[in-house]
Amino acid sequence: MTIRVFLILSLLILSSSFLHVVRCDLDPDSEVVDSAEEGGDLGIVGEDAQDFGAGGSFSPAPGVETVSVFPRNPSKLVVAGEESELLVGIKNEGESYLNVIAIQATVHLPFDHQYLVQNLSAQAFNNASVPPSAQATFPYIFSISKFMQPGAFDFVGTIVYEIDQNPYQSTFYNGTIEVTEAGGLLSVESVFLFCLGIALLGLLGFWIRGRIQHFSKKTKRSPKVEVGTGTTDPSMDEWLQGTAYTQSVSSKSKKKK
Amino acid sequence: MAGWVIGSVICVLVALFSASSTIASSEGPFIVAHKKAKLTRLKSGSERVSVSIDVYNQGFATAYDVTLNDGGWTQDIFDIVSGNTSTSWERLDPGAVLSHSFELEAKTKTMFYGPPAVITFRVPTKASLQEAYSTPILPLDILADRPPEKKFEWAKRLLVKYGALISVVSIVVLFVYLVATPSKSSGAKGSKKKR
């Protein structure tokens, strides 16, 4: 008995320590997850502090085409909280060099486009130029906040570039993406529910077995009725001879006579 | 009447011509190339670079004589272990993807900034060779000094990952055990009462 109490207490203390470890892991992150990347001479620079959208959107330049590809992801599935990659292809059909400045994206509600759900971090490029009559590809790595509800959202991606010191902006993707929750088959909730379900089924099975045993024992035994000492005749008891009872019985019989 | 008909025919022709010219510009192949480089530290002290390049055609027409050339890997730093830095394919249909990969080995400690790979292809409507560039890669820190892993880091990681699951399962199992085995204690109680 005491051993079991000790076991329960130790398990509770141990589980609370586990919960402590897990809680540290689940500290809420900032809404926009930054993608920290170091840049060099040519290539990708870390997230930019400049706000490209605030100054007003620029218009797309003529002779510039953009296309986007979700590599190895035709269904456009994005796991919330994990990094996803998107390739932006840009074709320069003009006469002069095109310098790509940054790529940025925003996530909106699917049914009401004006509601901004998340402003994804912009990825700036350093010395990324596309020669005339050439095509180039640029990667955009982003991660949607891990607290995002799973479902379909509107994803708008824009690429900001300049031609002859004039800034332009093109939208390379304006459509829906599918956000799924992180954490595969084995999560704490699913394991707990599964174990609880099995435990409840087991308890039900035990209870049913007990009832079956109870019913089967009842039919075998004959009903034993406890009668006590009330059926015996007091005059047949030997130890009552010579007591007040026999005297009263004899006086009664005398009276009747 | 005749002048009106001729004028309308000319207008229709001009419209068709402009439409066809716009369609032609967006009708060609659109090559999107994804270049990835992964570093693996070998036990011998050298770093192995695994490069893979995926070429997608997001346009509406086929690209012919697609040639991939990734010559940015300087000879004095990198040695080719397997594969070739250049390859070519006959055609790339719209919506299709082609992949190429090769491995390099680096022995010198340096910070390498790789240029994008160049893809050239032919289009039936244009005579000149078309050019496309792949995605640039992040700077590679070759043979970087890595801090040694602290003791029992792997144990901590396992604990954080599976600790909650194990505790949940053990709590449920213990609960079931406690509920399902009352016979011993009740028998002991009964024997005590009889005394």
Side-chain angles (χ1 to χ4, degrees):
Chain A
M1 177 67 183
T2 49
I3 292 169
R4 282 162 47 153
V5 169
F6 173 69
L7 268 175
I8 296 166
L9 279 171
S10 62
L11 193 70
L12 280 171
I13 291 165
L14 212 63
S15 61
S16 66
S17 69
F18 279 136
L19 281 169
H20 224 270
V21 169
V22 170
R23 211 176 290 137
C24 292
D25 200 28
L26 288 177
D27 270 341
D29 270 338
S30 58
E31 204 203 306
V32 176
V33 182
D34 295 326
S35 56
E37 294 162 34
E38 292 296 309
D41 197 19
L42 165 81
I44 308 159
V45 170
E47 79 276 4
D48 213 62
Q50 285 175 303
D51 195 0
F52 293 101
S57 321
F58 306 111
S59 54
V64 171
E65 271 181 53
T66 54
V67 87
S68 64
V69 177
F70 283 84
R72 315 250 177 231
N73 188 8
S75 51
K76 302 187 181 64
L77 220 65
V78 173
V79 179
E82 284 179 16
E83 280 190 352
S84 313
E85 199 169 2
L86 165 60
L87 301 174
V88 183
I90 186 161
K91 193 194 276 189
N92 183 9
E93 287 178 344
E95 299 295 322
S96 46
Y97 275 77
L98 185 156
N99 291 324
V100 175
I101 300 172
I103 296 177
Q104 61 184 28
T106 49
V107 182
H108 302 258
L109 284 178
F111 38 85
D112 203 343
H113 196 82
Q114 64 177 356
Y115 280 107
L116 184 78
V117 175
Q118 187 176 356
N119 215 348
L120 296 170
S121 50
Q123 192 157 62
F125 295 93
N126 187 16
N127 194 15
S129 66
V130 184
S133 311
Q135 305 166 9
T137 313
F138 295 96
Y140 181 55
I141 301 170
F142 62 96
S143 51
I144 298 213
S145 160
K146 69 178 167 188
F147 303 110
M148 189 80 91
Q149 298 271 340
F153 286 93
D154 262 349
F155 183 90
V156 181
T158 55
I159 178 166
V160 182
Y161 50 94
E162 64 169 16
I163 301 174
D164 298 330
Q165 311 297 322
N166 296 318
Y168 297 95
Q169 184 178 326
S170 286
T171 305
F172 58 82
Y173 187 76
N174 188 357
T176 48
I177 54 162
E178 200 68 38
V179 175
T180 55
E181 219 177 57
L185 204 62
L186 221 65
S187 72
V188 178
E189 294 96 1
S190 61
V191 168
F192 174 71
L193 284 171
F194 179 71
C195 290
L196 193 67
I198 290 193
L200 287 172
L201 282 171
L203 273 174
L204 193 73
F206 272 119
W207 181 77
I208 288 170
R209 200 175 74 167
R211 297 301 294 174
I212 289 169
Q213 278 179 353
H214 183 253
F215 277 121
S216 61
K217 278 186 187 170
K218 209 172 179 181
T219 51
K220 282 182 192 169
R221 269 186 286 128
S222 54
K224 205 174 180 184
V225 180
E226 187 64 59
V227 292
T229 53
T231 49
T232 52
D233 195 0
S235 58
M236 291 173 60
D237 282 328
E238 289 176 341
W239 59 275
L240 281 172
Q241 301 296 330
T243 56
Y245 178 73
T246 48
Q247 281 175 2
S248 66
V249 163
S250 60
S251 64
K252 269 187 190 169
S253 62
K254 274 182 190 172
K255 276 184 184 172
K256 276 184 185 172
K257 279 182 188 167
Chain B
M1 178 69 177
W4 179 81
V5 168
I6 290 166
S8 63
V9 165
I10 290 168
C11 283
V12 165
L13 279 172
V14 164
L16 273 172
F17 180 71
S18 56
S20 67
S21 65
T22 50
I23 287 165
S25 65
S26 62
E27 216 178 49
F30 204 130
I31 300 293
V32 174
H34 191 193
K35 178 170 155 182
K36 287 172 278 194
K38 201 171 79 167
L39 288 171
T40 327
R41 181 75 61 92
L42 294 174
K43 283 189 180 161
S44 60
S46 57
E47 195 105 43
R48 180 144 301 183
V49 186
S50 313
V51 183
S52 74
I53 301 171
D54 296 328
V55 184
Y56 302 84
N57 184 357
Q58 294 293 108
F60 299 98
T62 310
Y64 297 96
D65 296 329
V66 182
T67 325
L68 166 70
N69 193 359
D70 194 10
W73 307 96
T74 46
Q75 296 286 321
D76 49 359
I77 302 174
F78 297 99
D79 302 314
I80 299 175
V81 171
S82 71
N84 209 342
T85 54
S86 310
T87 185
S88 66
W89 299 278
E90 258 187 29
R91 57 188 287 161
L92 179 58
D93 294 315
V97 55
L98 292 167
S99 294
H100 179 64
S101 54
F102 54 92
E103 284 200 15
L104 305 160
E105 197 166 311
K107 291 194 183 91
T108 37
K109 184 177 174 355
T110 176
M111 190 74 139
F112 181 71
Y113 302 98
V118 181
I119 296 111
T120 53
F121 57 96
R122 286 198 187 279
V123 182
T125 50
K126 289 179 190 170
S128 57
L129 204 63
Q130 306 294 302
E131 231 178 27
Y133 293 93
S134 75
T135 56
I137 50 166
L138 292 166
L140 297 172
D141 201 356
I142 307 210
L143 292 171
D145 297 319
R146 282 182 205 168
E149 207 180 273
K150 286 184 209 166
K151 268 187 190 178
F152 301 119
E153 199 66 43
W154 57 271
K156 283 184 198 168
R157 267 187 274 125
L158 275 176
L159 199 73
V160 166
K161 212 169 161 187
Y162 298 113
L165 284 175
I166 292 168
S167 62
V168 157
V169 171
S170 53
I171 285 170
V172 172
V173 165
L174 193 72
F175 173 72
V176 169
Y177 167 72
L178 285 173
V179 167
T181 55
S183 53
K184 281 184 194 171
S185 62
S186 65
K189 276 186 191 169
S191 63
K192 278 184 189 171
K193 274 185 184 171
K194 277 177 186 171
R195 267 196 293 118

